[in-house]
Amino acid sequence: MQENIVDAGEGNFSQDPFLSSHLAWEAFRSLASDRKRQTLVDCTAGSSTFNAGAILVLSTLLSDLLRRETSAKRVGIVLPPGIGALVSNLAVTFAGKSPVNLNFSLGREALESSIERADIDLILTAEIVKKRLVDFPWTDDILDVGSILKGFSKFTLAMRSFAFAMMPISWAASWLGIPRKGGGEEAALLFTSGSSGMPKGVVLSHRNILANCAQIRDTDLFPAGETLLANLPIFHSFGFTISVWFCLIQGVRLVTLPSPLDVKGSLKAIREQEVTTLLGTPTFLRPYLRRAKEGDFDSIKFVIAGAEKTPEGFSEKWEKEADCVYLEGYGLTETSPVLCVNLPGERDGQSLKKTGAVGKLLPGLKARVVDPDSGEVLAPSQTGILHFRGPNVFERYLGEPEKTAEVLDQDGWFATGDLGSFDEDGFLRIEGRLSRFSKVGGEMVPHGRVEEAVIEALGLDNEDQPIVAVAGRADPTKGEALVLLTTVEIDSNQLSSLLSEKGLANLWIPKEIKRIDEIPVLSTGKLDLKAISELATSD
């Protein structure tokens, strides 16, 4: 059995004393050790710059207020990326509580359920956000972070800053009650995107998030002093771990914008702030190529894409037109989130990236491939359900022990629901979600591959937004049938001929085409699989 395990040193890595620390202490120590370091440039309106000392002062003062305001274990946060969101997450953690960054793009029912399950009685937000989210189920107790931060007197700010200047870091942390030991205690609650159902509450510990920070650090992908464009939502696990905790702890400079959809603003920030690293999903990245002007990407060293599979040919197109390296990675909310990522450069004469792969395992992880029908552990080169084990793997879903047991066994192996395999060099290739396959006439047909074939056949690969999606519906003769949802007119006979000419098997060609106004997409950039399935199966 052991020969079928892909091991990146999980045993030794899991013993690292760093993993028993607390996010609050690690972030506090990093900020306090270099208070003049430029830490954040908020490009929400113009550009406001904050050094580490200012963020430390504002966060600890807000933390003092939170301790008085609520005794609850968790505090809700409804804010886009920026100084307010960064300070709020720090303040909640400094107070020994868990931040819950709520996905405000979800429907009211899902949000009400999330707030109730998390037992949240206080939400940190801003008045402008509150006015825009007219249907949001706000709690009775709301704090306007913008007003609070502006309301601190100059004397109060000066005195807190003076205290940090005069006291050793350890003394200052003790004076303010900054927690130092976290380990397996809850650090944050993140709700999944709900792409295939009601969002689940993923409980992440300090050990989980610190482990992922250490794993990413050990790749040398983001050395201190780099500048990251942080425009992914904080309720997105990628945005939460990397754009908040990793950058704060490792000294990576942040440039924030409220939304990844603001391509014009993002390009302006990249140019003016000399951003070196860009994060995103292929859906969010595609419009950059269309709107970028010469010189916009001069400072960018590489872009890291995740959360959805990169369409065939897109990485090559990006590298040619943007003239910077495209690195695809892979992770899930339940793994804090990063599991694998391609890396720039070479090691021992071998490239650290492969087109079509999502990279090698991060340090400290084990992986195995399991047959979805029999549960047998397969050879890594065979395709099956991917299982992972390591210190960044979550321990439970909030209040859902049955769902936890479905994906997490007693030995700590997490079943992702994704199909994939490892090649001879250890690179992981993702075939797609098991839920994104249909069994047609006994053959497993991947929806994503069919979508790519349709887009290529019809020359639709230059669109900013998704224009096709494939789902399955029950079929009395073949078990399942493919349904093609599209926002453009497509002639069924013409499509069948084109796909056949390209060698697509007959079982893979959708026979039913439905025209709709738009393809449902989540705020994270991923397809809304639940909504797509409902459209495909509705009369």
Side-chain angles (χ1 to χ4, degrees):
M1 185 75 72
Q2 189 63 36
E3 65 270 16
N4 287 345
I5 303 298
V6 181
D7 191 349
E10 184 236 0
N12 291 334
F13 192 94
S14 294
Q15 305 305 313
D16 190 337
F18 175 74
L19 306 187
S20 65
S21 188
H22 197 288
L23 287 172
W25 167 241
E26 295 302 330
F28 185 92
R29 181 168 58 178
S30 175
L31 292 167
S33 64
D34 187 5
R35 289 179 293 111
K36 293 182 180 179
R37 180 181 85 228
Q38 189 180 103
T39 300
L40 173 70
V41 181
D42 188 335
C43 296
T44 302
S47 57
S48 302
T49 302
F50 300 85
N51 62 26
I55 290 173
L56 201 58
V57 167
L58 293 172
S59 301
T60 54
L61 287 172
L62 180 58
S63 179
D64 294 343
L65 176 61
L66 287 177
R67 293 175 195 268
R68 299 191 298 268
E69 193 72 22
T70 180
S71 60
K73 178 181 179 180
R74 304 184 184 97
V75 176
I77 300 174
V78 181
L79 287 165
I83 183 62
L86 189 74
V87 166
S88 294
N89 277 276
L90 273 172
V92 172
T93 308
F94 284 165
K97 304 177 184 294
S98 299
V100 185
N101 290 271
L102 293 163
N103 183 348
F104 40 83
S105 68
L106 295 176
R108 185 180 181 90
E109 182 184 359
L111 284 165
E112 286 178 340
S113 172
S114 299
I115 291 170
E116 181 180 353
R117 283 184 285 157
D119 198 22
I120 292 170
D121 64 7
L122 171 67
I123 291 178
L124 302 179
T125 187
E127 189 61 32
I128 188 171
V129 174
K130 191 171 182 295
K131 287 180 179 178
R132 289 177 180 172
L133 302 178
V134 292
D135 196 41
F136 192 94
W138 300 102
T139 53
D140 291 335
D141 199 357
I142 300 171
L143 293 183
D144 181 354
V145 176
S147 297
I148 292 171
L149 298 185
K150 292 176 183 176
F152 292 130
S153 69
K154 290 183 178 180
F155 177 77
T156 299
L157 296 171
M159 289 302 295
R160 180 60 56 96
S161 182
F162 178 74
F164 286 135
M166 297 303 294
M167 299 172 69
I169 294 173
S170 183
W171 289 12
S174 297
W175 167 55
L176 292 168
I178 303 298
R180 300 195 191 198
K181 294 293 182 182
E185 294 180 6
E186 180 182 322
L189 178 66
L190 289 175
F191 284 93
T192 59
S193 59
S195 60
S196 56
M198 187 65 74
K200 297 185 289 290
V202 178
V203 178
L204 296 178
S205 68
H206 294 275
R207 175 182 173 84
N208 292 152
I209 299 171
L210 287 172
N212 210 222
C213 288
Q215 289 165 327
I216 297 167
R217 176 201 65 203
D218 288 353
T219 66
D220 292 324
L221 192 57
F222 301 104
E226 294 294 322
T227 298
L228 173 72
L229 181 67
N231 58 6
L232 292 179
I234 307 295
F235 57 72
H236 188 294
S237 57
F238 207 19
F240 180 74
T241 295
I242 296 178
S243 300
V244 177
W245 298 109
F246 178 84
C247 289
L248 286 175
I249 293 170
Q250 296 300 323
V252 175
R253 178 174 172 256
L254 283 165
V255 176
T256 62
L257 282 104
S259 170
L261 299 177
D262 181 8
V263 177
K264 181 179 178 181
S266 295
L267 290 170
K268 183 173 183 286
I270 290 170
R271 181 190 286 268
E272 293 181 353
Q273 300 300 328
E274 297 184 335
V275 170
T276 59
T277 306
L278 183 62
L279 303 178
T281 67
T283 297
F284 290 152
L285 293 172
R286 192 183 299 276
Y288 283 78
L289 296 182
R290 184 176 295 244
R291 303 179 193 180
K293 299 182 179 65
E294 186 177 353
D296 279 346
F297 291 119
D298 282 356
S299 62
I300 297 286
K301 296 179 180 178
F302 49 80
V303 58
I304 301 174
E308 61 177 342
K309 186 175 174 63
T310 297
E312 188 174 346
F314 182 71
S315 63
E316 294 90 341
K317 181 178 181 180
W318 178 278
E319 292 189 342
K320 179 181 178 182
E321 296 185 17
D323 195 27
C324 65
V325 178
Y326 184 97
L327 303 172
E328 186 175 4
Y330 168 67
L332 302 98
T333 305
E334 290 90 341
T335 57
S336 307
V338 187
L339 290 163
C340 304
V341 65
N342 282 292
L343 299 172
E346 296 183 349
R347 183 177 298 155
D348 300 327
Q350 297 292 319
S351 175
L352 298 176
K353 68 186 283 280
K354 276 189 181 182
T355 301
V358 293
K360 297 183 179 182
L361 283 183
L362 291 185
L365 281 165
K366 281 185 179 180
R368 66 186 186 188
V369 179
V370 175
D371 186 286
D373 296 320
S374 68
E376 176 190 358
V377 178
L378 305 173
S381 59
Q382 294 179 276
T383 297
I385 299 293
L386 296 167
H387 289 211
F388 295 92
R389 193 174 78 179
N392 56 315
V393 173
F394 84 128
E395 295 182 3
R396 64 185 174 94
Y397 291 122
L398 180 66
E400 297 186 285
E402 296 85 4
K403 288 188 177 180
T404 302
E406 288 175 5
V407 300
L408 198 63
D409 71 15
Q410 293 183 343
D411 293 326
W413 285 103
F414 169 55
T416 64
D418 288 329
L419 291 167
S421 62
F422 291 86
D423 69 15
E424 66 281 1
D425 297 317
F427 284 87
L428 175 62
R429 294 182 184 274
I430 303 294
E431 298 296 333
R433 297 285 304 170
L434 184 60
S435 59
R436 293 229 71 206
F437 281 73
S438 288
K439 203 159 192 177
V440 183
E443 182 176 340
M444 294 293 285
V445 180
H447 298 171
R449 296 268 291 280
V450 176
E451 289 162 357
E452 290 176 2
V454 171
I455 289 170
E456 183 182 356
L458 298 177
L460 302 174
D461 54 354
N462 288 321
E463 301 295 325
D464 286 352
Q465 298 298 320
I467 52 177
V468 298
V470 172
R473 62 165 177 78
D475 182 88
T477 58
K478 295 184 178 179
E480 280 189 272
L482 298 181
V483 180
L484 176 66
L485 303 177
T486 174
T487 60
V488 298
E489 285 292 345
I490 295 177
D491 181 86
S492 179
N493 293 329
Q494 179 192 20
L495 178 63
S496 293
S497 298
L498 289 171
L499 293 178
S500 294
E501 289 173 9
K502 289 187 173 295
L504 208 66
N506 187 54
L507 287 176
W508 288 39
I509 298 176
K511 303 302 187 292
E512 182 179 348
I513 299 176
K514 282 189 174 184
R515 175 76 185 272
I516 58 176
D517 293 333
E518 62 180 2
I519 303 297
V521 176
L522 299 168
S523 60
T524 55
K526 295 190 289 186
L527 294 177
D528 187 338
L529 302 183
K530 181 182 179 184
I532 287 171
S533 178
E534 289 173 351
L535 287 169
T537 55
S538 64
D539 295 329

